[in-house]
Amino acid sequence: MRSVDVARTALGNTFRSKLRTALTVVAIVIGSFTLTLTSGLGAGVNKYVDNVVAGFGGSSQMFVMSTGASDAEPTDGPAEYDPEAAASTGGMFGPGSGGGVLTDSDIETIEQIENVSAVDPMVFVSPDYLETPDGSQYDMDLDVPANALGLELEAGEAPGEDGMELSIPSDWLSIFDTEDAEEVLGETVSIGISDVTGQQSTVEAEIVGVSEEALSGIGATPMPSRELNQELNDLSMEGYQGQAENAFAMAVLDVDDIEANEQGVKDALLEEDLLGLTVEDQIGAVQGVIDAVAWVLSGFGLIALLAASFGIVNTLLMSVQERTREIGLMKALGMSSGKVFGLFSMEAVVIGILGSVIGVVLGLGAGLAGNAWLTGEGGPLGAVAGLTLFAVDPLAILGITALIVFIAFLAGTLPAARAAKKDPIEALRYE
């Protein structure tokens, strides 16, 4: 009997007892479905995390900030501007700014650290207010332009390098008396900023984008173009006498051979009360938790597959028992023990393929449908910009299918070996 004939015969024999085979396949489907779903969830959320931090730079970069920096509490939309309150919050770098920033001397110190090849400081500016076309004024903080690549946009585009451009969060649409993000694109607003003497200046900027807040916090505050950011910084520095230092929110370092020198650079920064973080530092903890949860859920799928493997063993053992005389006849007609073993092993593989394919298809369908419902417009998680809960990983799908088929093959070896060892004369006498 040729191999093709063995495969054809195995396929036909699999459905001799339809109910028994169907129940075994269902057990495999459950395990395959669970593994596909958990694999897609892990891939989807990790993909989202990767996209969120994509705007922070490459793997050879390190981000440095002062250990004294503090994060502002989030608010729902902008508060109306109060000139008296703003005048009382001036910092050492001018009204509206605070401590916890990098200075020129910090940048010079960083440049001297061994294995640091380049330092790109990000200018820190803190405007007093944003004034809408109707003359209303609102308190304002700015994100740094370097985060523009991480923006999730509801409308328009991210501010570029040149031009007086600005993006605003979607929850700021209310100050323009609209809910349509497209309507505010092209609007001109005025930004007020004070220098060290308390003298206020204004800069006009065009709104080019409306952002949605990501889990990282990017998009929760207005973001300027680099040119606008620099212009505001220059205005805030007017009035300084002598050796005034600039204020930088953070600095981006290029580190030579970061894999070998990462810890050394971090230690040198800590000695200067500075904190250095790589992209991996920022996403590693989050992805570690996600992967751990995915592995735990995958464990339930593996348990279901283990149970299914016993079902395969039981199904094929019963099949061997019922077909004892048939096995004897095949061997009497010259079929080798190896061919008999292959025949029953192939039946196990067929059951594994059926269960894995059905389970993978159901898992992909449920995952993609659930992702569209949960993260789509109007869904429970639709407000989280760019969120992906489920993603198709072809390699993972192939791996799951191969694993299930391999488990099915192993489960079928015991019944197949028993069938191959049967003596043809004794088998023909079996009643």
Side-chain angles (χ1 to χ4, degrees):
M1 183 179 288
R2 297 175 301 172
S3 298
V4 175
D5 297 327
V6 171
R8 187 183 298 113
T9 304
L11 183 61
N13 290 337
T14 301
F15 295 99
R16 280 189 173 185
S17 179
K18 293 181 176 60
L19 180 60
R20 192 164 61 203
T21 300
L23 292 175
T24 305
V25 169
V26 166
I28 298 176
V29 167
I30 294 173
S32 177
F33 175 85
T34 304
L35 288 176
T36 302
L37 206 57
T38 55
S39 172
L41 287 172
V45 178
N46 279 320
K47 178 182 178 181
Y48 172 69
V49 173
D50 289 338
N51 290 337
V52 166
V53 301
F56 293 143
S59 59
S60 65
Q61 292 180 327
M62 185 177 294
F63 305 89
V64 179
M65 62 200 74
S66 169
T67 54
S70 61
D71 295 328
E73 291 294 327
T75 58
D76 295 328
E80 291 191 12
Y81 173 64
D82 184 349
E84 294 183 2
S88 66
T89 59
M92 62 180 291
F93 297 100
S97 64
V101 295
L102 302 178
T103 64
D104 287 331
S105 58
D106 291 325
I107 300 302
E108 292 175 2
T109 299
I110 295 171
E111 290 175 337
Q112 302 304 314
I113 293 177
E114 187 178 0
N115 297 313
V116 173
S117 57
V119 181
D120 180 18
M122 299 182 186
V123 174
F124 176 91
V125 292
S126 182
D128 298 329
Y129 63 83
L130 177 143
E131 183 177 321
T132 59
D134 65 3
S136 301
Q137 296 179 341
Y138 300 90
D139 288 335
M140 184 184 193
D141 291 316
L142 286 178
D143 202 342
V144 291
N147 287 339
L149 290 175
L151 275 181
E152 295 287 348
L153 293 166
E154 182 177 332
E157 59 186 12
E161 295 283 334
D162 303 321
M164 298 299 180
E165 299 178 343
L166 183 75
S167 70
I168 62 170
S170 57
D171 60 2
W172 281 44
L173 293 174
S174 59
I175 68 176
F176 294 91
D177 297 322
T178 183
E179 295 181 357
D180 185 357
E182 296 287 346
E183 288 187 12
V184 303
L185 298 181
E187 289 278 6
T188 299
V189 296
S190 296
I191 301 174
I193 190 166
S194 299
D195 61 23
V196 69
T197 66
Q199 183 68 35
Q200 278 190 338
S201 302
T202 59
V203 176
E204 290 190 344
E206 178 187 356
I207 297 177
V208 297
V210 178
S211 61
E212 298 178 322
E213 182 178 1
L215 289 180
S216 63
I218 294 177
T221 55
M223 183 174 294
S225 63
R226 285 189 179 270
E227 183 175 340
L228 175 58
N229 198 61
Q230 188 60 53
E231 176 68 17
L232 291 170
N233 180 69
D234 293 341
L235 290 173
S236 70
M237 297 297 290
E238 289 184 359
Y240 280 110
Q241 301 296 324
Q243 300 295 319
E245 291 193 298
N246 287 307
F248 303 105
M250 65 176 69
V252 181
L253 314 184
D254 286 333
V255 180
D256 296 328
D257 192 5
I258 194 167
E259 292 186 3
N261 300 315
E262 176 184 340
Q263 193 57 50
V265 173
K266 286 182 177 179
D267 292 341
L269 290 169
L270 283 175
E271 291 179 3
E272 303 295 335
D273 294 325
L274 301 173
L275 178 64
L277 296 172
T278 62
V279 174
E280 286 74 15
D281 291 332
Q282 297 175 64
I283 67 175
V286 175
Q287 289 183 321
V289 172
I290 294 169
D291 291 339
V293 172
W295 276 110
V296 170
L297 295 176
S298 295
F300 291 104
L302 292 174
I303 291 173
L305 289 179
L306 180 62
S309 67
F310 287 106
I312 293 173
V313 173
N314 180 66
T315 296
L316 293 183
L317 282 176
M318 293 181 68
S319 179
V320 170
Q321 189 73 15
E322 293 170 354
R323 294 156 57 191
T324 299
R325 295 191 67 183
E326 178 184 334
I327 295 170
L329 181 59
M330 288 188 294
K331 298 191 78 172
L333 293 174
M335 192 172 186
S336 66
S337 296
K339 291 290 185 180
V340 174
F341 179 88
L343 177 63
F344 282 88
S345 296
M346 184 62 70
E347 291 181 25
V349 169
V350 169
I351 293 174
I353 292 175
L354 283 174
S356 63
V357 170
I358 295 173
V360 165
V361 171
L362 291 177
L364 291 176
L368 293 173
N371 181 72
W373 173 65
L374 290 171
T375 64
E377 186 176 352
L381 301 176
V384 182
L387 178 62
T388 301
L389 290 179
F390 186 90
V392 178
D393 185 348
L395 290 178
I397 297 302
L398 289 175
I400 290 170
T401 304
L403 174 64
I404 293 172
V405 172
F406 179 69
I407 291 175
F409 172 77
L410 289 181
T413 55
L414 177 61
R418 177 170 293 187
K421 291 178 180 178
K422 284 189 176 294
D423 180 84
I425 297 176
E426 294 296 327
L428 287 170
R429 291 175 179 173
Y430 181 80
E431 294 294 337

